[in-house]
Amino acid sequence: MSIPVSNLTPALQVSKLCFGTMTFGEQNSLSESFNLLDKAFDSGINFFDSAEMYPVPQRAESYGRSEEYFGRWIRERKVARHRLVFATKVSGPSGQMTWIRGGPTSLDSRNIKEAIDNSLLRAQTDYIDLYQVHWPDRYVPMFGETDYDPANQYNHVSFEEQLDALGRAVDAGKIRFIGVSNETPYGVMKFLQAAEKNPAYPRIISVQNSYNLLCRNFDSGLAECCHLERVKLLAYSPLAMGLLSGKYLLPDGGAADARLNLFRGRYSEGESRYNLSNPTIREAIKAYISIAERYDIHPVSLAIAFVLGHPLVSSAIFGATKLWQLEQVVSACEVKLNAEIIADIDEVHSRFPNPCS
């Protein structure tokens, strides 16, 4: 089958499925990662997403392996670089990942430049197609937080300094395009306004935020910004970290090596948002699985097809630790949801609005 494509920009065509590499080097060995990349590429996926902090859960011992494995795959399989779209991300301030530039402490120009150079070295590539700010330098509610608290605001690196550093990397040929991730309407518009005022600054082309049946926050504010400003959505967690497959609702609670089981208590960013002890989340999952059963659609296909059907989604970023999981997602491209199915989905959404915000 053929995986559909879309234009992130007229100069950057990507597959509508993007293979995320954040399990490489933790859940997946080098050989397993190569097999998954082979299958994804042979299936028609040309778009691959990573980050300097991957794999997750993040540890000093495994830091950078995901980019490294991807780069080794390109070289050892002798894949022509122009046939791939490689996206990666710079970590924002954390204070917890002390092995990444001391925290990292901020997204100032020094940190951005160092992060880009190190990602290029790990991936052993001459350039990065899409370089993204993983999360904002400033305070914003994210990873399960929903309410903005003004008391948490602190001084942050200006949008102009970040764009200046990114622009210098573009001019040097190190990166082609830039994007943001886990961003808000305010942040997207400030980046765009700064680039509009100074033609030396690159313009963001994408925002990588969570979007799935259990988290449709993008539609509330960001959708208008992205539509009118021609910024594409790269939707991560289209399966809500596997919840929408239904595997965690099985009598045995899912396989022992399923991510939320394997890393229970060690992956706060995921567990805070995809909290299976929340009865509302469980009821919402059951309702969506019921829709899939009613129309004889696999739950994975329902979830992926819903995301791909969004007019502002350029690509859905998914992860897979096993070949059969990857095949399930790829086959979802064959599924189109009709108006009746969408109406049923929206009815469930009205009863359980965004339980995994």
Side-chain angles (χ1 to χ4, degrees):
M1 64 161 294
S2 176
I3 292 179
V5 297
S6 69
N7 290 325
L8 261 179
T9 75
L12 193 62
Q13 188 176 79
V14 299
S15 51
K16 290 277 285 186
L17 291 177
C18 173
F19 191 30
T21 65
M22 73 177 189
T23 62
F24 294 1
E26 184 67 49
Q27 283 180 272
N28 291 113
S29 67
L30 181 64
S31 62
E32 290 171 340
S33 301
F34 275 29
N35 290 336
L36 287 163
L37 288 166
D38 289 342
K39 182 66 175 179
F41 188 60
D42 291 343
S43 298
I45 294 173
N46 76 333
F47 193 12
F48 301 88
D49 181 72
S50 194
E52 64 168 339
M53 64 171 264
Y54 290 168
V56 296
Q58 51 270 34
R59 298 183 296 126
E61 296 78 11
S62 59
Y63 161 56
R65 278 186 196 159
S66 297
E67 291 180 326
E68 178 192 341
Y69 284 13
F70 181 70
R72 288 182 63 176
W73 173 76
I74 295 174
R75 294 193 307 282
E76 294 187 25
R77 295 296 196 255
K78 296 181 171 57
V79 181
R81 180 64 181 81
H82 72 273
R83 297 183 63 192
L84 305 172
V85 177
F86 173 45
T88 193
K89 301 182 281 291
V90 55
S91 298
S94 163
Q96 299 174 5
M97 295 180 287
T98 54
W99 54 90
I100 305 180
R101 298 182 301 283
T105 54
S106 74
L107 279 169
D108 61 12
S109 57
R110 180 191 65 81
N111 273 282
I112 290 174
K113 180 181 184 302
E114 187 175 329
I116 292 171
D117 289 343
N118 287 338
S119 287
L120 290 170
L121 284 172
R122 280 189 293 270
Q124 289 294 291
T125 186
D126 294 330
Y127 63 93
I128 296 162
D129 295 285
L130 176 64
Y131 197 67
Q132 304 153 103
V133 174
H134 205 158
W135 59 86
D137 185 84
R138 66 194 191 282
Y139 157 73
V140 295
M142 56 185 175
F143 304 130
E145 297 178 349
T146 56
D147 297 331
Y148 181 85
D149 183 354
N152 290 334
Q153 186 57 55
Y154 51 80
N155 291 331
H156 60 86
V157 176
S158 70
F159 295 94
E160 289 79 7
E161 180 174 346
Q162 295 174 66
L163 286 174
D164 182 69
L166 294 166
R168 291 176 187 274
V170 171
D171 293 341
K174 296 178 180 180
I175 59 178
R176 296 178 63 198
F177 300 98
I178 68 165
V180 292
S181 182
N182 298 298
E183 195 46 282
T184 68
Y186 172 81
V188 167
M189 292 308 299
K190 291 295 285 185
F191 274 113
L192 291 170
Q193 289 168 1
E196 186 175 341
K197 290 178 181 177
N198 189 336
Y201 296 159
R203 191 179 194 275
I204 62 170
I205 65 168
S206 60
V207 56
Q208 184 182 143
N209 276 25
S210 175
Y211 190 79
N212 55 61
L213 288 168
L214 300 174
C215 178
R216 295 165 62 173
N217 290 350
F218 172 83
D219 292 327
S220 299
L222 266 171
E224 180 185 16
C225 297
C226 290
H227 173 58
L228 297 177
E229 297 292 338
R230 304 182 311 283
V231 174
K232 300 297 178 65
L233 173 62
L234 302 178
Y236 76 75
S237 289
L239 294 175
M241 203 168 285
L243 267 62
L244 289 166
S245 71
K247 62 186 177 183
Y248 293 107
L249 298 186
L250 295 173
D252 62 359
D257 63 353
R259 190 181 312 158
L260 290 176
N261 292 334
L262 184 64
F263 299 126
R264 184 172 292 135
R266 292 178 50 203
Y267 190 25
S268 58
E269 295 94 335
E271 291 173 303
S272 61
R273 174 180 280 173
Y274 305 109
N275 183 359
L276 280 164
S277 65
N278 183 328
T280 302
I281 292 176
R282 297 180 72 89
E283 289 305 310
I285 296 169
K286 291 176 184 177
Y288 288 121
I289 291 174
S290 176
I291 293 174
E293 292 172 345
R294 190 179 316 142
Y295 293 98
D296 195 25
I297 300 172
H298 195 284
V300 168
S301 294
L302 180 78
I304 296 292
F306 171 76
V307 173
L308 293 183
H310 195 293
L312 298 177
V313 169
S314 193
S315 194
I317 303 173
F318 73 99
T321 58
K322 299 176 177 62
L323 290 173
W324 64 264
Q325 293 173 329
L326 195 154
E327 290 166 356
Q328 270 189 346
V329 173
V330 168
S331 67
C333 289
E334 299 175 339
V335 175
K336 304 296 180 204
L337 305 183
N338 61 35
E340 185 179 3
I341 300 174
I342 294 296
D344 286 352
I345 286 172
D346 287 341
E347 188 279 327
V348 173
H349 177 64
S350 70
R351 286 191 284 131
F352 306 108
N354 302 319
C356 290
S357 297

